[in-house]
Amino acid sequence: DPYPSHPEGPVIVSHLIELLPPGAILILGGLLVPLLPGRVKPWAGVAFPVLGFAHLLALDKGFVQTLVVFGYELTPVRVDGLSLVFGYVFFIAAILGGIYGLGVRDGTQLTAALTYVGSAIGGVFAGDLITLFIYWELTAVTSVFLVWAGRTERSARAGMRYLVIQVGSGVILLAGVIFHFVDTGSLAFDKLIGADGLLGSASLGVLLIFIAFGIKCAFPLLHNWLQDAYPESTATGTVYLSIFTTKMAVYALARGFPGTGVLIIIGAIMTAFPIFFAVIENDLRRVLTYSLNNQLGFMVVGIGIGTELALNGAAAYAFANIIFEGLLFMAMGAVLLRTGTCLGSELGGLYKTMPWTAALCIVGAASISAFPFLSGFVTKPLILDETAAGHHLVVYLMLLFASAGVFHHSGIKIPYFAFFAHDSGKRVKEAPWYMMTAMVAMAFGCILMGVYPEILYRVLPYPMEYHPYTTTHIITQYQLLLFSALAFVFLQKTGLYPPELRSVNLDFDWTYRRALPTVVGWAVSTGRIILDAVRAPVRGLLDRTSGLIYRLYGPEGVFARTWTTGAIAFWAVVVLCGYLLYFMLR
């Protein structure tokens, strides 16, 4: 007993640990950052996530915190297998993101990063829909400052569009929660879809919640806020943004909509369509945002299948993706820091002066491509195997195509055009030590999970026995990688591969950023022309009508004159006779 004279001491400490929700330490730490000395501020991005992770490890699995507010029972904290796997990787990513950003002296960016991460962590441990909504909106309001941290006109506009979409997702979520509560009387954040897994039989509230989750998960046609906002942030800010928002949405889908059949179709489309945009994109950080779309699709497919193995696969792939996708964004952030650009047309030859960054980038590229003995190889097959076992043949073939495609645009294109390809002539310093430290840790995580997958399998929501290193898995994956590499070489040698050029690629956001304003502008101008054309005739008609009324009812008008008693009696008789005649004719 560490408190022999005060036995209540351990009890008090235990109550304090249970009182704070996971992520609260980061939120409070973020608010304290402006009060810290300048040299200490960057270290707050490491210290508070470490303290928060220690706090999470002190909570027991199965712990539930309940709270009664205005007569309604809420569950601010629920610790179970699904929330823990996301909580663990969120804290790991937060710590490494803090190390990566030790060179940041911008207090606003540090505050935004810590409060954003804390809000996302709080969201994955929320046990009721109201608590989830609060954290959902906090992630939107805090993360937008990371976009604005770019401090350019483009980042300001992109940040405003990002904020509108993210807050709009929260408004839809709140509306769905209200309708759901009216229908069921429950605020519990558990499985929201019926046993049949069909959205057609779901209530309006559940449908709205599903749409809100889909916006944050970047469903097809709702995805462009990723490509619009993330590349406009700073080198460090983009790393944070790439990790938390979409993975929080993946967690929410896994919690609320496991086994929802339409997610299989949505996820398959998500894996396929970004490949074509990524191939022609020049901005390498924007290529990675399309890659993020592609990777989210695999997780969504796993959630849609809904078996325990598939849900384990979605959680495992989210865990691995945070590490290797974060590593790729870190590598491109280091390139941006040293060269001032991430455009493929302006890079190349950087391996000569940034060899360690190039090597670590290749580790991340190989991991996302699912090379054996790296993290992608031991996580993606969980989803692929369950897709095949469920007899989703078309979806399975789409996932194989997407697996080859991701090697094409992220496994090859990113390191090739950044560090090799043509020599840009740029001779810059290697990445700073703190960036290198974070990237080395990320790369080590990719290798550790690939070599020793049990370390990840043990923390997944459902117990399982799975052996990724089978002959079938290895041969299939090497075939995909080989043919994808051959296709890249063939296209490069024949000149068919789209060149890296300064350009603007049109995606669905063109409809509301260009087409819709154009249509509205045309409608307004056409309406103005029509109004000008009819204004004169209408004004003339109104003038004539008012003149007639004035002549009849004006001071000298017919109806303004005084009538004699005889005239009034005469017209009364005429009206009475007319009425009698009409009555008799009926």
Side-chain angles (χ1 to χ4, degrees):
D1 186 353
Y3 303 94
S5 60
H6 300 281
E8 72 278 6
V11 176
I12 294 173
V13 173
S14 176
H15 285 330
L16 287 175
I17 290 174
E18 294 178 354
L19 182 64
L20 285 176
I25 292 176
L26 280 78
I27 296 174
L28 295 174
L31 298 177
L32 290 174
V33 163
L35 305 178
L36 299 176
R39 292 184 178 180
V40 177
K41 283 182 180 180
W43 289 98
V46 181
F48 287 112
V50 169
L51 291 174
F53 198 10
H55 170 235
L56 175 61
L57 295 175
L59 293 175
D60 295 326
K61 185 176 181 179
F63 170 73
V64 176
Q65 181 190 84
T66 58
L67 185 67
V68 178
V69 180
F70 301 116
Y72 299 102
E73 184 175 300
L74 305 181
T75 310
V77 180
R78 173 184 50 200
V79 182
D80 62 7
L82 184 60
S83 59
L84 276 175
V85 66
F86 282 88
Y88 289 152
V89 72
F90 276 10
F91 272 112
I92 292 170
I95 293 169
L96 296 180
I99 295 172
Y100 183 83
L102 283 176
V104 176
R105 297 293 185 270
D106 182 0
T108 301
Q109 192 174 166
L110 290 169
T111 295
L114 283 172
T115 52
Y116 167 47
V117 174
S119 301
I121 292 171
V124 301
F125 287 96
D128 67 86
L129 292 168
I130 294 296
T131 304
L132 176 69
F133 163 74
I134 293 171
Y135 285 122
W136 199 265
E137 289 293 67
L138 277 176
T139 58
V141 174
T142 52
S143 61
V144 71
F145 287 95
L146 293 175
V147 181
W148 286 334
R151 287 183 169 79
T152 64
E153 184 178 352
R154 286 174 59 92
S155 66
R157 293 182 177 180
M160 187 57 67
R161 291 189 292 268
Y162 172 87
L163 184 63
V164 169
I165 292 172
Q166 295 297 309
V167 171
S169 170
V171 172
I172 295 172
L173 174 60
L174 180 60
V177 171
I178 293 172
F179 281 117
H180 179 67
F181 178 73
V182 170
D183 288 339
T184 65
S186 173
L187 291 172
F189 183 28
D190 291 309
K191 185 176 180 180
L192 301 172
I193 198 71
D196 57 4
L198 299 176
L199 283 179
S201 59
S203 65
L204 175 60
V206 171
L207 289 174
L208 291 174
I209 294 171
F210 181 81
I211 293 171
F213 290 174
I215 292 173
K216 249 185 171 61
C217 198
F219 280 3
L221 307 185
L222 304 174
H223 66 281
N224 282 122
W225 57 268
L226 276 174
Q227 291 75 34
D228 184 25
Y230 283 12
E232 303 304 329
S233 182
T234 62
T236 303
T238 303
V239 172
Y240 281 109
L241 290 168
S242 69
I243 292 170
F244 297 100
T245 296
T246 51
K247 304 310 184 302
M248 180 184 177
V250 167
Y251 163 81
L253 285 171
R255 175 72 70 183
F257 295 92
T260 304
V262 70
L263 288 177
I264 301 175
I265 301 171
I266 292 173
I269 295 172
M270 289 175 69
T271 64
F273 84 86
I275 294 172
F276 303 100
F277 288 99
V279 167
I280 63 175
E281 179 57 58
N282 185 32
D283 187 326
L284 298 184
R285 290 204 297 176
R286 191 164 277 113
V287 171
L288 286 177
T289 60
Y290 279 116
S291 173
L292 182 57
N293 264 131
N294 164 278
Q295 299 293 288
L296 291 169
F298 284 93
M299 304 170 208
V300 171
V301 169
I303 295 168
I305 294 171
T307 64
E308 289 188 356
L309 186 59
L311 292 173
N312 273 350
Y317 203 56
F319 193 110
N321 177 265
I322 286 173
I323 303 300
F324 58 63
E325 193 101 42
L327 174 56
L328 289 170
F329 273 103
M330 285 181 176
M332 290 303 99
V335 168
L336 177 65
L337 177 71
R338 290 311 195 195
T339 66
T341 183
C342 267
L343 298 180
S345 58
E346 298 179 6
L347 296 175
L350 293 180
Y351 75 94
K352 298 177 180 178
T353 54
M354 300 182 74
W356 289 106
T357 302
L360 294 168
C361 180
I362 290 173
V363 173
S367 297
I368 198 173
S369 304
F371 269 81
F373 303 106
L374 292 170
S375 56
F377 182 81
V378 301
T379 52
K380 186 182 291 184
L382 292 167
I383 300 171
L384 291 173
D385 286 357
E386 283 299 278
T387 304
H391 305 290
H392 305 288
L393 177 60
V394 175
V395 174
Y396 180 74
L397 294 176
M398 290 179 70
L399 296 187
L400 290 180
F401 167 76
S403 297
V406 74
F407 176 51
H408 197 274
H409 63 71
S410 290
I412 299 177
K413 179 173 181 173
I414 293 294
Y416 178 74
F417 285 105
F419 299 101
F420 303 98
H422 62 279
D423 191 342
S424 63
K426 291 181 169 62
R427 299 294 181 263
V428 296
K429 295 180 180 179
E430 182 57 275
W433 68 267
Y434 44 86
M435 288 187 169
M436 289 296 301
T437 302
M439 287 191 287
V440 167
M442 287 282 200
F444 176 76
C446 293
I447 297 170
L448 178 63
M449 285 185 284
V451 174
Y452 185 48
E454 289 77 12
I455 198 171
L456 173 58
Y457 293 167
R458 277 198 228 111
V459 300
L460 295 179
Y462 304 101
M464 68 174 191
E465 286 188 12
Y466 186 79
H467 303 286
Y469 290 103
T470 64
T471 303
T472 301
H473 286 158
I474 293 173
I475 292 177
T476 301
Q477 191 59 27
Y478 271 127
Q479 286 175 334
L480 286 173
L481 296 172
L482 176 62
F483 283 106
S484 183
L486 289 174
F488 181 85
V489 172
F490 173 77
L491 293 174
Q492 279 288 112
K493 293 298 184 182
T494 57
L496 296 175
Y497 193 88
E500 300 299 302
L501 301 173
R502 282 184 170 271
S503 59
V504 176
N505 296 323
L506 300 183
D507 202 338
F508 184 75
D509 58 336
W510 178 85
T511 59
Y512 58 83
R513 292 179 61 181
R514 288 290 183 268
L516 185 60
T518 301
V519 171
V520 172
W522 174 85
V524 171
S525 61
T526 303
R528 188 177 290 115
I529 292 171
I530 295 174
L531 182 62
D532 291 340
V534 302
R535 181 180 289 128
V538 170
R539 180 174 295 173
L541 178 62
L542 291 175
D543 290 343
R544 289 192 296 273
T545 303
S546 61
L548 176 61
I549 293 173
Y550 184 82
R551 288 193 298 272
L552 293 175
Y553 294 96
E556 301 300 326
V558 174
F559 294 104
R561 299 170 187 168
T562 301
W563 287 17
T564 62
T565 302
I568 293 173
F570 171 75
W571 285 111
V573 171
V574 170
V575 171
L576 179 60
C577 291
Y579 174 76
L580 292 174
L581 180 64
Y582 170 75
F583 183 77
M584 288 186 292
L585 291 176
R586 287 183 63 190

